[in-house]
Amino acid sequence: MGNRWKAVSAEHEGEATVDLETKIQKPKTRIPPAPSPQPLVPSPRAPAPLLVVGTVAFDSIRTPHGEAENILGGAASYFAVAASWFAPVRIVAVVGEDFGEAELGVFQERAIDTAGLVRAAGKTFHWSGEYLGDMNEARTLETQLNVFEQFSPRLPGSYLDSDFVFLANIDPVLQLHVLRQIPKARLAGLDSMNYWIKGKPEELKKALAEVDLLVINETEARMLSGVSNLKKAAELIRGMGPRTLVIKRGEHGAMLFSQGGIFSAPAFPLDQVHDPTGAGDSFAGGFMGHLAKAGELSDAQFRRAVIYGSVMASYAVEEFGLARLLRLTPEEIEIRYREFKKLMHFDA
Amino acid sequence: MGNRWKAVSAEHEGEATVDLETKIQKPKTRIPPAPSPQPLVPSPRAPAPLLVVGTVAFDSIRTPHGEAENILGGAASYFAVAASWFAPVRIVAVVGEDFGEAELGVFQERAIDTAGLVRAAGKTFHWSGEYLGDMNEARTLETQLNVFEQFSPRLPGSYLDSDFVFLANIDPVLQLHVLRQIPKARLAGLDSMNYWIKGKPEELKKALAEVDLLVINETEARMLSGVSNLKKAAELIRGMGPRTLVIKRGEHGAMLFSQGGIFSAPAFPLDQVHDPTGAGDSFAGGFMGHLAKAGELSDAQFRRAVIYGSVMASYAVEEFGLARLLRLTPEEIEIRYREFKKLMHFDA
């Protein structure tokens, strides 16, 4: 298989962007599964399998600290790599012919199950964007859906026993389509964005009604609820279905709204943010990963999950793309977790 | 005395605004001191006296939730009222002939020592502003310095043993002038703003070199240091003099940078913010008030002080002006302190 992936990858080098409107009609082929996944952070009980569906992409990114062309990205990639430090991860996504051995090797290195990674004729989803000034917001320069345009995720049989499911930011119709294939999941989480909140509000509400957890950012929470006060927004959103809500606030941290009340965590203070891409997806990966590992859906574990999510987001932004997340160690994760404890500690 | 204040107050009713350029040349009279201050939150040791110098003002405020005309405000007022729940407070400020018995009564009610409150001929400092949308920033409609224009604070003899001193946001030349009259203060804190950072950078740096603590907001920290990363900004600012730095982040909370490392606290999630005016000064009042009460300048106490500051800021914004701070109870302060503990708690 090695040569095939290499050849495709080489073919892609130096190619110009393709027309967003091009429809890819060629048949899809399923990528052979990776070796049996191994949880890499030891745990007293076996971590539950965690499924993620979302985009796998090539990103071209410019920040004040540098730039990178066509690096592996996409919400499902960041989520999967971050979560792989906690639990066995199964990925559902579509890639194109330009998705080579090197990219597949990234998932295999992290023992991520790729049985649900479908290869379609055409090119992989491509996003290019830049961050200016304090890098709080990405400016999208171009989005090429490519093979993603015809994506209709069908789960391999080996995925159907997934206890934990995360529906990363894609069309809510697809999210619901995946969710209904695993109705017995113990915890189903969902991410979304402005584009779907505005464009498919009814479909999104249907999906929200069937999930346990929503992870979105501050602006999206305000837009989805129609109110600017976050506490009120959280009440309204929890009334739409998800009993647990995480509001991501970028450099200002994250808030958890659940039956255990409100929990508020800061972002980890860093000397430099190199590339904010994927921070939110890495957060979600650490969050769900910890829960799958803990196997317990208590308020205490949800709070810990917020910190593990924040740990993974803080590492993700230290370097471009997935680089930092890939060369983490379990010790580094625990060290930063304890640093969060110190950062937030005061005596009662 | 009652009638004199009433008369002046009545005379002021319905008056139009005065020319900002009018110089007030009439002699100043010192307002008689209030009854001996009493710490209102009991403490095992006697809280140390806490001096604040800054503006006492009349504010006219419009927010999406209502408006108020000519209500008592100013940084020193918010600071003093907030701090008065923790320690005996001494105020240094100038007011005009329109500052009536009702306003003086506010300070007296909180047992704030007004020996340093000077009354000058002319009108009290007046600020009018409005908050739009999510109320994160005030838009100043008008500032009338009035009697404040010729303010040169001289401390009464009874203030010279103040252990804790806070130089609220005024001209750094005046801040330094006050500070040098109490060189033996155990903890001197300072607030400033964009106007002085841009307008009197050298004078501000002189003042910074002589204080122990700086309390400023996020934008000001970036402007003062010239860097956007807050961790780096904090290092640079601490290098200018203040070994302890608090960066206020409005609805995103506050960060403490000190020899004990970094401490990050969220803002208290409220259902509604009625009027953000004075939140930062109330924070500083709670912060310094707690330290004066605790009498100990350890990292643990600085962290507690951040939470007490956040408690006072969160109450301050619940109603217009000083109203909510004035009818607090020590129990309410402790209840919210414990709520902060719950808001930030997770298991290690």
Side-chain angles (χ1 to χ4, degrees), chain B residues 59-78:
Chain B
D59 290 342
S60 296
I61 302 159
R62 249 197 331 252
T63 85
H65 305 292
E67 53 188 303
E69 285 290 318
N70 289 312
I71 57 171
L72 181 58
S77 304
Y78 281 99

Side-chain angles (χ1 to χ4, degrees), chain B residues 2-17:
Chain B
N3 284 342
R4 182 162 65 89
W5 286 104
K6 234 173 223 153
V8 175
S9 183
E11 188 185 299
H12 176 62
E13 268 182 51
E15 272 190 22
T17 56

Side-chain angles (χ1 to χ4, degrees), chain B residues 4 16 32 41 63 92 125 130 137 170 195 217 225 259:
Chain B
R4 182 162 65 89
V41 177
T63 85
V92 178
F125 182 99
E130 65 177 348
E137 216 171 330
I170 53 172
Y195 183 79
N217 75 31
S225 64
Q259 282 167 321

